Amino acid sequence: FQSVWYFEEMRHYLILREYLKAFDAEPDFTTLDEFDTELKEAPWESTLAMHWCGELRLGRWYLQWSKEAPEPVLKQVYKLIAEDEFRHAQAYEEFMERALEKDPSVMLPFANATKWMLVNPQGDKHPTTFAEGSEDGQSVTDRIEGYAVMQELIQQSVPEHVEASLQTRVLKTLSRLSGTTLETRSDLVRLTLSLQANAAAPAPVSSTPSV
């Protein structure tokens, strides 16, 4: 899966790069070393759930842009990228299911990470936006000229119903995985609190007398 995922993500980058070449707008790749950074390690459970939500969100963004792109080649490019992102999300969901079968306690970090991804959807949700742990106190995106403007344009291009569809999809899946009906973010918060309480509760003492 990692090999296929990496290939397809690089394909997204390369085709968009070729498209920019057509308009003499290819980025200056001699400056890429300026953006190298060591990202802080994170628990695999939270990382998995974060990427699951992220791929679902990106798929919806690209699908929306494919509907609105005025140029036919770019319209098709966005559509194909969206299909890749949705397929990646499906794979992550299957990994989450396997993890829960082995250890049901991972539902807590899955729920917490998902809650964070759904709250404040206007904010950027990617490790490259985190300044914590960097030597100069800046995130990767802090070093990209015009990034804030690009982020604002992205948010303006994504209607509210697109984000709403993401929340509906995520809550429906978490309902199935957790065995709890989740219809709102408040329901998700209550689930995380319940899981935290259960995780903190002391293990029951066996009443079986020792021999």
Side-chain angles (χ1 to χ4, degrees), residues 111-186:
N112 271 327
T114 303
K115 178 179 63 177
W116 176 74
M117 287 293 289
L118 293 181
V119 172
N120 184 26
Q122 303 304 317
D124 217 332
K125 304 287 188 178
H126 193 275
T128 54
T129 66
F130 303 157
E132 182 181 358
S134 63
E135 295 181 357
D136 57 2
Q138 287 189 317
S139 67
V140 175
T141 53
D142 287 335
R143 305 187 187 108
I144 301 176
E145 183 179 357
Y147 180 81
V149 175
M150 182 188 72
Q151 179 69 8
E152 183 177 352
L153 290 173
I154 289 175
Q155 297 300 337
Q156 291 175 356
S157 71
V158 180
E160 291 184 3
H161 71 82
V162 173
E163 184 66 24
S165 73
L166 169 68
Q167 178 172 302
T168 299
R169 169 70 167 78
V170 167
L171 292 177
K172 182 177 180 179
T173 299
L174 287 184
S175 295
R176 177 175 60 82
L177 296 179
S178 67
T180 304
T181 300
L182 306 171
E183 296 181 346
T184 66
R185 287 205 302 261
S186 296

Side-chain angles (χ1 to χ4, degrees), residues 18-172:
E18 287 300 310
Y19 192 85
L20 289 172
K21 281 184 181 180
F23 298 92
D24 295 322
E26 184 181 13
D28 179 6
F29 294 97
T30 63
T31 64
L32 287 182
D33 289 345
E34 300 174 11
F35 306 108
D36 286 345
T37 188
E38 291 293 331
L39 297 177
K40 186 177 179 180
E41 291 188 11
W44 68 266
E45 302 95 333
S46 301
T47 302
L48 176 55
M50 181 194 74
H51 279 288
W52 170 60
C53 291
E55 299 279 20
L56 286 173
R57 179 174 275 136
L58 280 174
R60 281 163 170 74
W61 285 5
Y62 280 112
L63 187 60
Q64 180 66 29
W65 296 336
S66 73
K67 296 175 182 177
E68 299 181 355
E71 198 277 311
V73 173
L74 189 59
K75 183 185 292 288
Q76 180 67 4
V77 166
Y78 282 155
K79 182 177 182 294
L80 292 173
I81 292 178
E83 291 174 355
D84 283 351
E85 303 292 19
F86 285 134
R87 191 168 57 257
H88 299 167
Q90 183 60 43
Y92 288 133
E93 185 175 319
E94 292 175 5
F95 293 148
M96 292 168 68
E97 291 176 354
R98 295 182 194 177
L100 284 165
E101 290 175 359
K102 294 180 179 179
D103 181 7
S105 70
V106 298
M107 190 69 233
L108 176 56
F110 286 168
N112 271 327
T114 303
K115 178 179 63 177
W116 176 74
M117 287 293 289
L118 293 181
V119 172
N120 184 26
Q122 303 304 317
D124 217 332
K125 304 287 188 178
H126 193 275
T128 54
T129 66
F130 303 157
E132 182 181 358
S134 63
E135 295 181 357
D136 57 2
Q138 287 189 317
S139 67
V140 175
T141 53
D142 287 335
R143 305 187 187 108
I144 301 176
E145 183 179 357
Y147 180 81
V149 175
M150 182 188 72
Q151 179 69 8
E152 183 177 352
L153 290 173
I154 289 175
Q155 297 300 337
Q156 291 175 356
S157 71
V158 180
E160 291 184 3
H161 71 82
V162 173
E163 184 66 24
S165 73
L166 169 68
Q167 178 172 302
T168 299
R169 169 70 167 78
V170 167
L171 292 177
K172 182 177 180 179

